[in-house]
């Protein structure tokens, strides 16, 4: 089982890597870390404590902390959606911390809500096998960063390249063209 | 929106009907609940992550039918005014506190 200290250390180390800070309010920070710990225990991964997770890794990948929306949210509002990660001017009190609007696309949210409503545990055994999984499957593609060459296999390109910090616009899809000649 | 896991918190100020869609893990939601408690206001809340999973979709539709984007906390005052997020000034303005 993961400890609260481990969750804290992970967040601290990530904040340091990206030049962010953790929320300056100790109680608020503690609540967020507790929330992450709880989500890691129930889903197996630290889904954002301020969002509804589906419990399906494929559908929750974008909201696993640090979420895909953290960097653009910190850049625009000074904090990520749950306000775990904040910018220096928030720490210094130069900018006030306000609730951050949800950046996660509506379609991703809808999918997560719908799938959690379809809890297989509550279904009789015979219907369980007949539910087609395909429509809920996420269509993944290969993306590469034109600046550093980083390659990632996922639904959408990341907002920011985790390696060189290039913006989303620098990502291009790798088109696979398989031909059988002869 | 009945038959859900709605928790009622008693308070002396019960002029308004307040419903909060919250998450048990969300620090903003906790702050919101605390704000109403500190102001001794009666309110109801649903911790969506702890609610029956079948209700997730219902809650999303309820929030969207009110013209808001699903986000937590969502505060519904008197079944008509929707406040997304713990916007203290807006809450005070709507509730007249």
């Amino acid at each position: 089982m993961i400890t609260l200290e481990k969750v804290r250390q992970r967040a601290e180390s990530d904040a340091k890597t990206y030049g962010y800070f953790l929320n300056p309010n100790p109680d608020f920070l503690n609540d967020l870390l507790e929330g992450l710990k709880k989500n890691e225990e129930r889903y197996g991964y630290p889904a954002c404590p301020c969002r509804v997770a589906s419990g399906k890794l494929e559908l929750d990948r974008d909201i696993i902390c640090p979420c895909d929306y953290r960097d653009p949210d910190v850049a625009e509002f000074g904090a990520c959606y749950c306000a775990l990660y904040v910018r220096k001017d928030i720490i210094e009190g130069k900018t006030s911390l306000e609730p951050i609007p949800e950046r996660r696309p509506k379609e991703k949210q809808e999918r997560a809500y719908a799938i959690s409503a379809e809890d297989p545990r509550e279904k009789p055994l015979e219907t369980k096998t007949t539910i087609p999984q395909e429509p809920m499957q996420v269509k993944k593609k290969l993306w590469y960063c034109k600046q550093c060459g980083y390659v990632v296999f996922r639904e959408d390109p990341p907002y920011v390249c985790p390696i060189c910090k290039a913006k989303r616009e620098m990502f291009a899809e790798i088109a696979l063209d398989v031909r059988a000649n002869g | 929106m009945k038959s859900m896991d709605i928790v009622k918190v008693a308070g002396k100020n019960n002029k308004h009907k307040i419903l909060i869609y919250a998450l048990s893990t969300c620090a903003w939601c906790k702050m919101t609940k605390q704000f109403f408690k500190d102001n001794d206001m009666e309110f109801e809340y649903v911790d969506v992550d702890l609610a029956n999973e079948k209700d997730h979709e219902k809650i999303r539709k309820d929030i969207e039918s009110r013209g808001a984007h699903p986000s937590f906390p969502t505060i519904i005052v008197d079944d008509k005014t929707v406040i997304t997020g713990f916007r203290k000034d807006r809450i005070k303005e709507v509730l007249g506190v």
Side-chain angles (χ1 to χ4, degrees), chain A residues 44-178:
Chain A
Y45 45 83
C48 175
C50 297
R51 290 182 168 110
V52 169
S54 70
K56 299 254 185 308
L57 177 66
E58 267 320 279
L59 299 176
D60 295 339
R61 203 180 289 277
D62 61 317
I63 57 164
I64 294 175
C65 186
C67 71
D68 279 13
Y69 315 103
R70 177 189 66 174
D71 297 331
D73 279 341
V74 175
E76 188 174 346
F77 305 106
C80 66
Y81 181 66
C82 73
L84 173 64
Y85 294 100
V86 302
R87 221 167 43 199
K88 199 178 176 190
D89 47 313
I90 298 269
I91 293 280
E92 290 168 343
K94 289 178 188 158
T95 308
S96 67
L97 187 56
E98 297 293 327
I100 313 299
E102 174 62 292
R103 189 185 291 270
R104 190 182 197 205
K106 212 174 152 213
E107 320 80 70
K108 291 206 179 197
Q109 262 192 322
E110 278 176 9
R111 220 154 41 187
Y113 281 72
I115 200 102
S116 63
E118 262 185 33
D119 186 1
R121 282 171 297 178
E122 293 189 6
K123 286 198 178 82
L125 207 61
E126 48 283 11
T127 58
K128 206 167 149 184
T129 50
T130 56
I131 306 267
Q133 286 299 305
E134 284 71 22
M136 284 300 174
Q137 286 290 317
V138 172
K139 203 166 173 247
K140 290 194 282 187
K141 296 167 185 168
L142 276 170
W143 302 93
Y144 78 102
C145 172
K146 289 189 272 186
Q147 188 163 287
C148 73
Y150 166 75
V151 175
V152 62
F153 185 55
R154 43 183 271 170
E155 190 180 10
D156 306 305
Y159 277 93
V160 175
C161 173
I163 306 298
C164 73
K165 310 283 173 280
K167 288 191 176 161
R168 174 172 251 188
E169 293 72 44
M170 285 303 281
F171 275 86
E173 193 185 336
I174 301 178
L176 287 177
D177 189 9
V178 183

Side-chain angles (χ1 to χ4, degrees), chain B residues 1-95:
Chain B
M1 280 288 120
K2 289 292 157 203
S3 81
M4 240 188 281
D5 304 299
I6 297 178
V7 181
K8 189 168 182 165
V9 179
K12 279 191 192 131
N13 305 319
N14 54 7
K15 213 165 58 178
H16 294 280
K17 185 178 175 290
I18 300 162
L19 172 67
I20 310 170
Y21 286 133
L23 295 173
S24 72
T25 48
C26 169
W28 290 100
C29 299
K30 195 173 168 187
M31 245 160 78
T32 308
K33 291 172 192 167
Q34 195 56 48
F35 171 83
F36 287 114
K37 282 180 195 161
D38 290 346
N39 284 283
D40 205 4
M41 295 174 115
E42 189 165 295
F43 67 98
E44 291 181 329
Y45 71 88
V46 181
D47 276 334
V48 180
D49 59 319
L50 302 180
N52 186 323
E53 283 159 324
K54 286 187 171 34
D55 288 329
H56 289 188
E57 184 73 352
K58 262 193 250 171
I59 291 165
R60 179 182 72 77
K61 285 186 177 149
D62 184 45
I63 296 173
E64 284 184 352
S65 73
R66 296 166 191 275
H69 192 69
S71 182
F72 297 94
T74 289
I75 304 144
I76 302 167
V77 181
D78 296 327
D79 216 23
K80 55 174 202 273
T81 312
V82 181
I83 304 165
T84 305
F86 181 51
R87 298 181 190 278
K88 218 194 273 183
D89 293 345
R90 178 80 181 122
I91 296 170
K92 283 182 178 169
E93 182 194 320
V94 170
L95 297 174

